[in-house]
Amino acid sequence: MGQGGLVGRLYLADTIVRRIGIIALVLFAGLVSVASVLLSPVDAAIAAWWPAAGVSAVAVLASRGNRVAVALAIAAVTAVGNVIGGRELLVAVLFGLANAIEAWLVAWVLTRGNPVARLDGLRDVTRLLAATLVGAAAIGILAGATAWALLDRDFLFTALGLLSSHASALLVVTPVALVSSRLNRRVSPVEGVLQIAAVVLLVGYTFWPGNVLPLAFLPFIALLWAAFRLPTVVVAVELIATAAATTILTAAGGGPFAVYADDGARTTVELIQAFLIVYAVGVLYVSAARNEWANVVTQLGAREALLRGGIISSETGILVAEVLDGERLRVVGVNATALEAIGRSEMPSSWGTAGIWMQRDRVVFGVSELDDRIRGRDPGRVEITRGDRRFDVDIAFYAEAGGQPVVTLVFTDVTARDAREQLALAVADDLRRLNEQKDDFIASVSHELRTPVTSILGFAEQLEESLLQERDQQASTIIARNARRLADVIQDVLELSKLSSVGAAPRAAAQLDVLEVVRHCAEDASGLSPARQVQIALTVPEHPVMIVGVTQDIARVCANLLSNAVKFSPDGGTVRLDVIDEGDETVEIRVVDEGPGIPAADLPHVWERFYRVQTERHREVPGTGLGLPIVKGLVETRIGGTIDIESDGLTGTTVILRIPRERAVSVHVATTAMRTPSETGQDAHAEAQEGAE
């Protein structure tokens, strides 16, 4: 069986089990409804307690995506329960619908904005209380109106009775489904048994038939014990058990609420609901606060362990101490580096118990200036020497209200720091020398290679133009093509070496017309592949576009971008070259081709050296993956602009180059500016052509 099949079967099994559980909850809600109606006082419009409200809310919460269907099922079973209990059919149906709406509203409020409903902390209990009020108010209004219209009952009294009855049921029953298993606390089994026994005894004694003493507060003591010490799920179960026992025993004439039966069943019912609501709210809030407190303690313990571990393993010396009674320092943390700085191999045990006396006639750490600052509560820095090592000690005092003052000593090994700095400087010098050697080597080898490659390319082009036999013509074409490719690689390597060289002097900036540079680049690009008939469509403003920059750098960037666009364009395609001048601080140049585009996953990587898109169409086009890195280096380090690539991976690529109008003009501007734009453009044209050939 494959892993996917196993996961699918487990998911199916989980779904089946959950649906069976929901069906069981719905049926149980119906049974509880019947019991509640049968146990309600004679001729009463509402039951004394309605736990079916809580069971219904749990069923709807468990249904996740099918809440409306489950709510309708709740309406059906509770309506049947009311009919079995002796209520009229129309009344039963309307009561059932009201129960369904209540359950749906409770689930909606509990899960709104959350993936699942929880009862982990105080905020969750508050959300449960809000959901309870919304749901109980809804059924109070709906069912109260039904009782008023069909049973001739007082609307206000009926609505308030339903509100209290359902609110107590929701607060008591619903928490069982909301408790998170990750909050289970480890408790001694003996304590658990004793606590449960205490709840049983106190509830039984308080509400046993015949006992009418006003001792309704007694069970609360045992429930608070559970809230402080036991898992929340135990608290939730005990709330349900307490509510059920209280209702049944009071109906049998026991407990402090039964004595009010002579004033009417309504008084007893209201007292029971108030009792259950107060118990549930109080115990749930205490349990939630206990959960949050336990989480905080756990997090603080973890942070303390992390801090102590960091102090011990730190190369910087750290000592943390409390000031006790203004006379002693009790060390709570110190590492080996700090002990070494004050001349000790280990910390005396008395430092962490009785502490170190700070009186003037006693030694604190044995360093006079450090001891004086500690006695005088004087923060600052002192310098101490231990053998051939020197330490800077930073002293700080912290005195917050309600806590012991704390002093921290941070020992910095100045000798080791100076040694590391010297080593870093030496390594930096070595790297700089190696980089210079690398640049010299690349420049030397590239120039040495360029001379024979130029000769090979020249003779190969002459052979191409000669009348040769077919076999010889093919050989000369191959030689010329590969010689051009090798020349391109050499030019790219030289350009990258210049861009990465720390000491490379930038060319002088001058006033130039972007349009003239762009026109030269477009003319060159149109002749790159005449056999493929790729057209260059140039769109430029009618007026000159003047900027301060270096003509050669801009020409190099445009030439590379157009070369790429032509290479990847289909035969007979068109490459658009647009210059956009809107009068703001930058001039925009766009190069748009009709090639295969660049997949979205490859767009962030196209600026990396030697990176090539691994699609079939891109692999067909020869290249080294150096063109775009050179472009980005020129744009960012020399031109001072930005460049972006846009593509949907299917219908071409758009490159957007933004060039600032103003650049810092070099001291050699005057010399460069004496040359005409056409002359500088011709130089750039020659350099770009040299790189493209």
Side-chain angles (χ1 to χ4, degrees):
M1 181 188 299
Q3 184 177 4
L6 177 60
V7 172
R9 293 193 179 190
L10 290 174
Y11 177 78
L12 179 61
D14 177 70
T15 302
I16 293 173
V17 170
R18 188 171 65 253
R19 288 179 178 176
I20 292 174
I22 293 170
I23 293 171
L25 285 170
V26 171
L27 294 176
F28 184 61
L31 292 175
V32 174
S33 300
V34 174
S36 298
V37 173
L38 293 176
L39 291 174
S40 62
V42 179
D43 295 330
I46 61 172
W49 190 47
W50 194 258
V55 178
S56 300
V58 171
V60 176
L61 282 169
S63 64
R64 298 181 185 175
N66 302 313
R67 289 179 179 170
V68 174
V70 176
L72 292 175
I74 291 294
V77 297
T78 52
V80 171
N82 277 280
V83 170
I84 294 174
R87 291 197 170 125
E88 297 178 5
L89 178 60
L90 181 57
V91 174
V93 170
L94 293 176
F95 278 1
L97 288 174
N99 276 280
I101 293 172
E102 173 194 39
W104 186 89
L105 283 173
V106 170
W108 179 77
V109 173
L110 284 174
T111 57
R112 184 166 178 78
N114 294 323
V116 292
R118 292 292 188 201
L119 200 65
D120 295 348
L122 294 172
R123 182 176 296 179
D124 299 326
V125 176
T126 302
R127 183 183 285 263
L128 171 62
L129 187 59
T132 298
L133 291 175
V134 171
I139 197 166
I141 295 171
L142 296 174
T146 300
W148 170 76
L150 301 179
L151 300 177
D152 195 25
R153 305 290 182 175
D154 184 272
F155 170 76
L156 183 59
F157 284 167
T158 304
L160 291 176
L162 285 165
L163 178 66
S164 60
S165 167
H166 284 250
S168 62
L170 289 169
L171 288 172
V172 168
V173 177
T174 310
V176 175
L178 306 181
V179 176
S180 175
S181 59
R182 64 185 179 87
L183 294 178
N184 287 342
R185 308 169 191 164
R186 294 182 180 180
V187 181
S188 167
V190 175
E191 182 181 1
V193 171
L194 291 175
Q195 193 277 331
I196 293 172
V199 171
V200 172
L201 290 174
L202 292 177
V203 172
Y205 174 73
T206 302
F207 293 96
W208 196 256
N211 183 15
V212 295
L213 295 175
L215 300 175
F217 63 89
L218 281 179
F220 196 54
I221 299 173
L223 290 175
L224 285 178
W225 179 2
F228 273 112
R229 295 288 300 165
L230 302 185
T232 307
V233 65
V234 176
V235 177
V237 172
E238 289 186 355
L239 276 175
I240 295 175
T242 300
T246 300
T247 303
I248 294 171
L249 292 176
T250 300
F257 307 136
V259 298
Y260 297 97
D262 295 338
D263 298 334
R266 179 175 182 78
T267 303
T268 301
V269 169
E270 291 175 349
L271 289 172
I272 291 174
Q273 305 314 321
F275 164 80
L276 294 179
I277 291 172
V278 171
Y279 266 38
V281 172
V283 171
L284 289 176
Y285 267 113
V286 170
S287 181
R290 170 64 172 78
N291 289 336
E292 292 192 354
W293 174 76
N295 288 337
V296 170
V297 170
T298 302
Q299 293 174 9
L300 289 177
R303 292 177 183 177
E304 182 181 1
L306 180 64
L307 179 61
R308 288 184 180 275
I311 289 175
I312 293 172
S313 60
S314 174
E315 293 183 0
T316 301
I318 300 174
L319 186 147
V320 181
E322 289 181 330
V323 181
L324 303 179
D325 305 325
E327 298 180 341
R328 291 174 293 139
L329 283 180
R330 186 175 70 85
V331 178
V332 296
V334 64
N335 63 3
T337 305
L339 290 172
E340 184 178 359
I342 57 179
R344 291 182 177 273
S345 58
E346 60 181 14
M347 185 184 83
S349 59
S350 60
W351 283 14
T353 54
I356 310 171
W357 291 98
M358 298 168 56
Q359 286 89 344
R360 295 243 173 227
D361 57 343
R362 293 177 181 258
V363 174
V364 183
F365 292 115
V367 181
S368 58
E369 187 177 357
L370 177 62
D371 292 354
D372 290 341
R373 280 187 175 270
I374 291 174
R375 293 191 193 99
R377 310 291 197 278
D378 184 15
R381 171 176 290 187
V382 300
E383 182 180 308
I384 63 176
T385 302
R386 184 67 56 190
D388 58 349
R389 299 173 65 185
R390 189 163 52 88
F391 295 88
D392 283 341
V393 187
D394 292 296
I395 308 164
F397 289 86
Y398 304 91
E400 297 293 337
Q404 296 286 357
V406 173
V407 58
T408 62
L409 307 180
V410 179
F411 299 80
T412 302
D413 191 336
V414 179
T415 305
R417 183 186 65 192
D418 291 345
R420 286 194 296 269
E421 289 177 355
Q422 292 298 324
L423 179 61
L425 290 173
V427 170
D429 288 338
D430 291 341
L431 290 175
R432 191 178 298 108
R433 284 194 296 270
L434 287 173
N435 189 58
E436 292 173 355
Q437 292 175 9
K438 179 264 296 180
D439 291 339
D440 293 341
F441 173 77
I442 291 176
S444 176
V445 170
S446 299
H447 283 295
E448 290 295 329
L449 288 173
R450 197 155 66 168
T451 300
V453 167
T454 302
S455 299
I456 294 171
L457 183 58
F459 285 113
E461 289 176 345
Q462 289 182 10
L463 288 174
E464 278 188 305
E465 297 172 357
S466 303
L467 296 176
L468 301 174
Q469 296 182 2
E470 181 179 355
R471 181 183 181 90
D472 295 336
Q473 187 70 43
Q474 182 180 9
S476 65
T477 301
I478 293 173
I479 292 171
R481 182 173 65 247
N482 285 279
R484 291 189 190 96
R485 186 178 300 173
L486 184 56
D488 286 343
V489 172
I490 293 171
Q491 183 64 29
D492 287 344
V493 170
L494 278 171
E495 191 65 48
L496 280 176
S497 176
K498 294 175 185 177
L499 290 173
S500 61
S501 177
V502 176
R507 294 186 176 99
Q511 287 282 342
L512 62 93
D513 184 0
V514 173
L515 302 188
E516 187 145 0
V517 179
V518 167
R519 287 193 182 99
H520 284 299
C521 293
E523 291 173 4
D524 295 341
S526 62
L528 287 177
S529 185
R532 297 179 53 231
Q533 297 183 344
V534 177
Q535 303 296 319
I536 307 295
L538 184 61
T539 303
V540 299
E542 296 180 356
H543 56 82
V545 180
M546 305 303 296
I547 67 169
V548 175
V550 178
T551 302
Q552 292 89 340
D553 294 339
I554 297 173
R556 176 73 169 163
V557 169
C558 291
N560 270 4
L561 294 179
L562 287 171
S563 174
N564 264 2
V566 170
K567 284 193 298 184
F568 288 102
S569 292
D571 293 351
T574 300
V575 174
R576 283 183 21 229
L577 177 58
D578 302 335
V579 178
I580 302 171
D581 180 17
E582 296 183 349
D584 51 12
E585 296 180 355
T586 60
V587 176
E588 185 172 296
I589 299 176
R590 287 177 174 255
V591 179
V592 184
D593 64 50
E594 299 173 348
I598 302 173
D602 293 300
L603 282 174
H605 304 288
V606 296
W607 308 112
E608 299 173 6
R609 296 182 181 184
F610 305 106
Y611 184 85
R612 301 206 64 201
V613 178
Q614 296 302 311
T615 64
E616 182 177 356
R617 178 68 181 89
H618 285 81
R619 285 195 295 267
E620 292 175 356
V621 179
T624 60
L626 293 176
L628 287 179
I630 289 174
V631 166
K632 192 170 183 65
L634 286 169
V635 170
E636 292 183 348
T637 62
R638 294 189 185 176
I639 297 176
T642 61
I643 187 166
D644 298 298
I645 290 186
E646 298 175 355
S647 177
D648 59 3
L650 299 173
T651 57
T653 301
T654 300
V655 182
I656 304 170
L657 170 64
R658 298 179 182 87
I659 304 174
R661 292 184 183 275
E662 298 293 335
R663 290 279 287 167
V665 181
S666 167
V667 293
H668 304 291
V669 165
T671 304
T672 308
M674 291 173 63
R675 305 168 65 193
T676 65
S678 60
E679 291 173 339
T680 55
Q682 289 168 3
D683 288 349
H685 164 67
E687 181 177 311
Q689 183 68 23
E690 181 185 24
E693 291 180 349

